[in-house]
Amino acid sequence: PYSTLPLRPLLSDFLPPDLNDKFVTTIPTLTIEHSGCTWDVLPRARERPLFLANPNSFPRVTIGSLPDNVLLDIFDFCQMPWYDSPRWWHALTHVCGRWRYVVFESPLRLDLHLVCDANTPVKKTLDVWPHGIPILIKESRLRLPLRGANIIAALGHHDRVSEIDLNTTNTLLKRLNKVMKKPYPVLTRLRLLNWKSAVPVLPDTFLGGSAPRLECLYLEGIPFPALPKRLPFCHNLVNVQLRSIPNTGYVSPEAMATALSALTKLKVVEIGFESPDSRPDPGNRPSSSLRRVVLPALSRLWFHGASEYFEDLVARIDTPAIISVSTWFFNQLNFDIPHFLQFISRTHIPGSFKDATLYFEESNVYIRVGHRDPPGGEEFRIALSIAISCHALDWQVACLICSKISPFLSNVERILINTGYFNDVVFSDWKDYVDNPRCVEIFHAFSALQHMQIPPRLGGIIASALQELIGERVMDALPMLRHLYLPRASESTQQTIEPFISSRQRCNRPVTVHLREMD
């Protein structure tokens, strides 16, 4: 299905008045006749366009009778996103001189781009098309024809490049450093990736120190230690993603916070380090009286690295509009996060902590808390996520996470415990190392929990741990638990959990067991 094309207001001045009532919504395509050729144009939106009920009852109106502005509206309606069909507009320019003129006069309205990759003969191509059409440079291959000569040639047109999306090699990155020394005044999106070792560092002269229209910056595996000096000159940035930062690209938390504070439109920040060595100087830890900078528009914050770095960073910032915080710490069994807890407390997101997921994966454990939208619905909106790298089924790490953020778990009413996708061999190796006291310690953090769902793999483990909560200890943990969801096929789990259910029944705090089909 396609959406309705507003032909009535566009064509009412060119059709006889008695035809206005004959519009219906049954045509599958918009048919255009010009110079003896028929064009069937599929509109880009959701419903079919308006057309005339009986096309044989009136004279045909040709596209040539429409003024340029109406023709432009039709072209605009029929345009396709560049990532689906970047050269959709080429066919229009080959119909006639008038169509070509209309297209080239409105490159921004029609979102025209000249897409260049390593195979594009840049020097020949750019001489054919008008200078006003922005250049989009995109290449995902690592083995580039001509050693990326066409990419370098396209980057030389610094005043026309609007987007750059490159998977780089060390050789190509060195060439980028040489050619990208001038400002890029129309650049809106920059994405560079490199998965090699000993990656060349981006110099201070990168982008000529200025990209005033840059909105999205994505660097992965790219060291850019001068970034804090350059970010304030990119004041339109909305999205900054710095992933797998090598040690040669380390930026201190203080410098990072100061640089981000200049970006008043910033909504998304992602900071991830390649190595656990990304720890700040212990002699420069922030004090509780430190004056914080405000990031007024920031809504999402993601971090991967050492907990000490994140502690220093969030101690220096306030984020009144934040709705989601995700962290992934390297394997650490001893860490303190008081500034992290204070940072979360200064936001409004703790009020949404009603649902939680405790997830065991092959290389990490994480807990996510948030809420269902709508309440009780399927969509889980994550407000806070904390992960720590570890071995599979590391309940000690899970217990550590829950103990550190226990103030934010006291209002959680529903939890799903799951195991991720690690294989059965890994699972069988690690399940015997689970100790019941660790599980019970985790349960202590969820004093308001009412619903708990257990997957098939963990049914026996959780049921065994709940056996600790019988007799005099029956109310030591999970005092508000009312519903327990178990896999239907697990009879042994049901038998193991029976003493806990009976003890809760005797103390007048019954728990209903729901048997479900689970993957």
Side-chain angles (χ1 to χ4, degrees):
Y2 301 94
S3 59
T4 303
L5 175 66
L7 285 180
R8 181 190 297 271
L10 294 179
L11 301 180
S12 59
D13 293 337
F14 306 97
L15 297 178
D18 61 325
L19 298 181
N20 282 338
D21 296 331
K22 296 183 180 180
F23 279 90
V24 294
T25 58
T26 58
I27 185 173
T29 62
L30 171 63
T31 300
I32 298 175
E33 285 193 0
H34 184 78
S35 300
C37 299
T38 300
W39 292 67
D40 288 336
V41 183
L42 291 177
R44 62 181 177 179
R46 292 187 59 85
E47 293 180 3
R48 304 189 188 281
L50 294 172
F51 199 65
L52 300 174
N54 185 5
N56 296 322
S57 64
F58 54 86
R60 183 180 296 271
V61 177
T62 65
I63 198 72
S65 63
L66 301 179
D68 289 353
N69 65 310
V70 176
L71 196 60
L72 177 60
D73 285 337
I74 295 175
F75 292 168
D76 184 25
F77 184 84
C78 298
Q79 69 166 285
M80 301 179 68
W82 64 263
Y83 47 81
D84 286 337
S85 182
R87 298 174 176 87
W88 69 271
W89 51 273
H90 287 200
L92 299 179
T93 63
H94 286 88
V95 173
C96 65
R98 182 181 173 222
W99 284 33
R100 184 161 53 250
Y101 170 81
V102 171
V103 170
F104 288 159
E105 280 296 299
S106 303
L108 296 180
R109 168 78 178 274
L110 298 179
D111 195 27
L112 304 185
H113 288 87
L114 290 175
V115 181
C116 297
D117 59 24
N119 288 327
T120 304
V122 173
K123 295 181 179 180
K124 295 180 180 180
T125 301
L126 297 187
D127 289 338
V128 173
W129 302 107
H131 187 273
I133 301 179
I135 299 173
L136 188 156
I137 302 173
K138 182 177 179 63
E139 183 56 75
S140 58
R141 294 171 295 178
L142 294 179
R143 294 184 178 274
L144 302 181
L146 303 176
R147 301 181 63 191
N150 287 324
I151 297 292
I152 298 301
L155 289 169
H157 297 263
H158 63 96
D159 57 337
R160 298 180 58 183
V161 176
S162 65
E163 298 189 27
I164 302 173
D165 188 342
L166 295 174
N167 289 352
T168 68
T169 61
N170 288 357
T171 300
L172 179 60
L173 197 57
K174 290 178 181 178
R175 301 188 70 184
L176 296 186
N177 289 344
K178 294 180 180 180
V179 74
M180 299 182 67
K181 292 183 177 181
K182 294 183 179 180
Y184 281 69
V186 298
L187 184 65
T188 60
R189 184 174 180 268
L190 173 62
R191 184 173 181 266
L192 298 178
L193 292 83
N194 191 306
W195 296 289
K196 303 292 184 178
S197 58
V199 181
V201 174
L202 294 185
D204 292 4
T205 56
F206 187 69
L207 298 180
S210 176
R213 293 181 58 183
L214 189 63
E215 297 179 358
C216 179
L217 173 64
Y218 184 104
L219 302 178
E220 183 169 345
I222 306 290
F224 193 9
L227 182 66
K229 301 177 183 178
R230 300 303 171 211
L231 282 182
F233 298 99
C234 305
H235 50 81
N236 281 313
L237 274 169
V238 175
N239 189 326
V240 173
Q241 300 181 48
L242 311 172
R243 296 198 171 201
S244 299
I245 303 173
N247 291 339
T248 53
Y250 179 82
V251 176
S252 71
E254 181 180 8
M256 186 69 75
T258 302
L260 295 178
S261 67
L263 309 177
T264 58
K265 299 179 181 180
L266 193 61
K267 294 183 178 181
V268 177
V269 169
E270 296 188 8
I271 302 172
F273 291 93
E274 192 175 63
S275 164
D277 295 334
S278 56
R279 290 179 169 85
D281 181 3
N284 192 30
R285 302 301 295 272
S287 64
S288 56
S289 59
L290 179 69
R291 184 176 179 179
R292 296 184 294 270
V293 298
V294 179
L295 307 180
L298 189 67
S299 60
R300 300 186 184 277
L301 176 61
W302 181 93
F303 176 80
H304 178 213
S307 63
E308 296 91 338
Y309 189 102
F310 194 65
E311 269 285 283
D312 277 23
L313 179 64
V314 296
R316 304 174 188 275
I317 62 175
D318 273 332
T319 55
I322 199 77
I323 61 174
S324 178
V325 179
S326 297
T327 64
W328 183 2
F329 299 139
F330 291 113
N331 193 344
Q332 297 174 260
L333 292 181
N334 295 305
F335 65 94
D336 292 316
I337 51 173
H339 291 300
F340 183 14
L341 300 181
Q342 294 171 17
F343 168 72
I344 298 297
S345 299
R346 294 194 300 268
T347 71
H348 66 279
I349 59 176
S352 65
F353 293 168
K354 297 297 183 183
D355 294 81
T357 299
L358 179 59
Y359 219 84
F360 294 89
E361 293 187 332
E362 194 166 346
S363 59
N364 63 78
V365 172
Y366 67 77
I367 185 167
R368 291 172 173 172
V369 289
H371 66 280
R372 299 285 174 179
D373 188 18
E378 293 296 325
E379 184 176 1
F380 183 27
R381 295 189 178 274
I382 301 170
L384 174 63
S385 175
I386 298 181
I388 295 182
S389 300
C390 61
H391 297 295
L393 286 179
D394 196 327
W395 291 83
Q396 182 181 3
V397 171
C399 183
L400 176 65
I401 297 175
C402 291
S403 66
K404 293 296 183 181
I405 64 170
S406 58
F408 304 128
L409 302 180
S410 59
N411 292 324
V412 170
E413 298 176 355
R414 293 167 293 273
I415 188 171
L416 166 64
I417 304 176
N418 215 333
T419 57
Y421 302 101
F422 50 84
N423 60 53
D424 293 332
V425 174
V426 174
F427 179 78
S428 61
D429 288 345
W430 283 96
K431 68 178 182 180
D432 295 333
Y433 291 90
V434 177
D435 57 324
N436 292 343
R438 294 290 186 189
C439 295
V440 175
E441 282 187 56
I442 293 174
F443 296 153
H444 279 123
F446 297 93
S447 56
L449 191 68
Q450 299 180 27
H451 303 259
M452 181 163 63
Q453 181 174 331
I454 304 171
R457 277 184 164 183
L458 293 182
I461 294 174
I462 301 298
S464 178
L466 290 176
Q467 283 188 330
E468 301 283 325
L469 301 175
I470 60 176
E472 295 180 355
R473 299 190 60 195
V474 67
M475 299 305 294
D476 282 2
L478 304 176
M480 303 300 294
L481 185 64
R482 295 291 182 267
H483 302 276
L484 192 59
Y485 302 89
L486 299 175
R488 184 182 299 277
S490 181
E491 295 182 3
S492 60
T493 298
Q494 299 174 39
Q495 295 174 358
T496 305
I497 211 169
E498 182 59 33
F500 170 74
I501 301 300
S502 300
S503 293
R504 292 294 293 258
Q505 184 73 32
R506 286 193 295 270
C507 70
N508 204 27
R509 290 292 181 90
V511 174
T512 302
V513 176
H514 304 266
L515 301 180
R516 291 183 171 183
E517 298 293 338
M518 300 182 185
D519 296 331

